[in-house]
Amino acid sequence: MTPLAAIAELLRVRIGLDVDAIGTRALGLAVRRRARARGIDGLDAYRTLLAGDANEWQALIEAVVVPESWFFRDGEPFALLGRWASTARRPGTRLTLLSLPCASGEEPWSMAIALAAAGLPPEAFHIDALDLSERALAVARQGIYPTRALRSKPVPEAWHAYLHPLPERRFEVDAALRASLRFAVGNLVDVSRTLAERHYDAIFSRNLLIYCDATTRAAALASFATALRPDGLLVLGHADPLPPGTPGFVRVGPPAAFAWRRAAAPLRP
């Protein structure tokens, strides 16, 4: 096995990455860039470094996994979430939701805004927002973005009310929503352990499974099914929908929402 293939296997085992999804050439460029940054000559020596350097491992993840997201991406999932939440929440209870991956925060903040615009006060819902990129999480926690992060058109006026303009072509998410979100490191490979004993009313995991190997995809979907409460909402990306007839889930909402309701029978791994 070549050093690059060995590093690709490490990525598969540790974060579930299917290197074919990003391309061997892209991986090679990222690895060589990191090796040069550390003053290392040769991929075999870099592989040895990775084995004992947690900081370099994180740096490689940051180089390989380049999150791209924006507020209200695709629109329909958030419109559906608002409609669903207004009827799903029982009086005196709090909805719990998961965003994995949350990237730099645009997705979970959009979820929170859709819920607030549907009439739910911040104390009526909680969102766990998980990602494996420390750099992306730092941006997410700040809640301040350039205007290019708001490029979905049109954005309902009710959603705009929670985005406040700042100087230098930036905007900030409404401070009242901050207590409703918890940003933390989370890895899809460890999702069964991460979500153990946790239960969610809705899970958003969009455009991630397509980058994972088959074993990781199957385990993740099984974990989502276990973590979702009956009638809970699962929202995936257009590139990684559930196969038709997947046991335990029923398609709901408009086709562009890519949403499923968890039925009484959980999905089997």
Side-chain angles (χ1 to χ4, degrees):
M1 182 181 292
T2 67
L4 186 61
I7 292 171
E9 178 63 11
L10 274 176
L11 287 164
R12 187 194 68 78
V13 171
R14 293 195 185 187
I15 66 173
L17 179 68
D18 179 0
V19 173
D20 289 340
I22 64 169
T24 303
R25 181 175 182 276
L27 174 63
L29 289 172
V31 169
R32 290 181 177 89
R33 191 179 305 120
R34 286 305 313 156
R36 287 195 301 271
R38 294 299 300 267
I40 294 174
D41 184 18
L43 298 190
D44 202 34
Y46 182 72
R47 180 184 60 176
T48 301
L49 172 69
L50 274 179
D53 190 326
N55 290 333
E56 183 54 35
W57 174 251
Q58 185 63 38
L60 178 61
I61 290 175
E62 304 283 359
V64 171
V65 180
V66 182
E68 182 185 14
S69 188
W70 55 89
F71 277 74
F72 315 117
R73 184 177 185 177
D74 302 324
E76 287 288 359
F78 305 102
L80 174 64
L81 178 65
R83 295 192 300 270
W84 168 83
S86 62
T87 59
R89 179 177 173 255
R90 300 179 303 279
T93 64
R94 183 174 70 165
L95 290 176
T96 56
L97 302 94
L98 172 67
S99 174
L100 173 66
C102 72
S104 46
E106 293 91 339
E107 184 112 317
W109 285 123
S110 297
M111 293 164 64
I113 289 170
L115 293 171
L120 276 70
E123 63 272 14
F125 60 91
H126 172 81
I127 301 173
D128 282 333
L130 309 181
D131 201 90
L132 51 74
S133 170
E134 296 275 12
R135 184 184 305 164
L137 288 169
V139 174
R141 292 186 182 103
Q142 191 175 35
I144 296 175
Y145 297 88
T147 53
R148 67 175 179 274
L150 188 60
R151 57 184 182 267
S152 295
K153 306 292 183 185
V155 175
E157 190 60 36
W159 296 356
H160 266 299
Y162 297 91
L163 302 172
H164 308 303
L166 294 173
E168 300 177 355
R169 298 180 61 82
R170 299 178 303 157
F171 65 89
E172 182 175 19
V173 181
D174 194 283
L177 299 178
R178 291 183 178 272
S180 300
L181 280 76
R182 181 185 72 93
F183 292 101
V185 174
N187 187 334
L188 197 64
V189 166
D190 299 325
V191 72
S192 60
R193 182 170 66 251
T194 301
L195 302 187
E197 307 303 321
R198 296 188 188 183
H199 300 285
Y200 294 99
D201 297 291
I203 294 176
F204 274 55
S205 184
R206 300 203 299 154
N207 304 316
L208 171 65
L209 297 179
I210 190 175
Y211 295 107
C212 298
D213 69 292
T215 300
T216 301
R217 282 198 303 273
L221 289 172
S223 295
F224 291 160
T226 300
L228 266 177
R229 294 187 173 97
D231 291 324
L233 192 66
L234 175 64
V235 180
L236 300 175
H238 65 84
D240 46 21
L242 284 180
T246 297
F249 286 94
V250 178
R251 190 76 180 258
V252 295
F258 293 96
W260 286 261
R261 178 180 60 82
R262 182 199 182 283
L267 179 69
R268 292 180 175 84

